[in-house]
Amino acid sequence: MTTETELMLKGYGLTTAEMTYHMPDYPHVLNTYIWQDYDLAPDHDRLLHFIGFWRDTLDGVLHSVRYSHRKLIAPNEWRNVVGEFRYH
């Protein structure tokens, strides 16, 4: 299993999607669902996979999807510290 830090170092960023959908029992009523996962821009494979899962499995028809993507750390912002110096 890959840790969140390893994903961020590989270029993944946090993707947040707000999905507005029609309630199955009340089709004129809209509801929202918030989804978050680490994903690669600009393809957003994980987000598209989840939208496909939603369409194939869930009863609520999607009305719209708004998303944002933010890289929390970039590979050039990370430094591997190999040693430590102590000064008294």
Side-chain angles (χ1 to χ4, degrees):
M1 183 173 185
T2 308
T3 66
E4 293 176 1
T5 304
E6 291 172 337
L7 286 174
M8 287 187 280
L9 290 174
K10 291 178 181 178
Y12 283 76
L14 186 63
T15 300
T16 304
E18 177 187 40
M19 300 177 183
T20 305
Y21 64 96
H22 296 273
M23 295 289 291
D25 296 335
Y26 305 98
H28 298 309
V29 177
L30 295 174
N31 200 3
T32 58
Y33 178 80
I34 303 296
W35 174 90
Q36 278 189 327
D37 200 357
Y38 287 96
D39 208 352
L40 279 172
D43 297 331
H44 297 290
D45 292 333
R46 291 184 181 189
L47 175 58
L48 294 177
H49 177 74
F50 183 75
I51 291 172
F53 164 78
W54 184 294
R55 287 183 179 167
D56 297 340
T57 308
L58 303 179
D59 293 332
V61 178
L62 284 173
H63 174 270
S64 60
V65 176
R66 292 186 330 163
Y67 73 94
S68 65
H69 179 81
R70 173 80 170 119
K71 282 191 173 185
L72 301 176
I73 188 172
N76 60 352
E77 297 174 356
W78 179 265
R79 291 187 319 190
N80 185 17
V81 177
V82 183
E84 178 180 335
F85 291 102
R86 291 187 179 200
Y87 180 71
H88 294 276

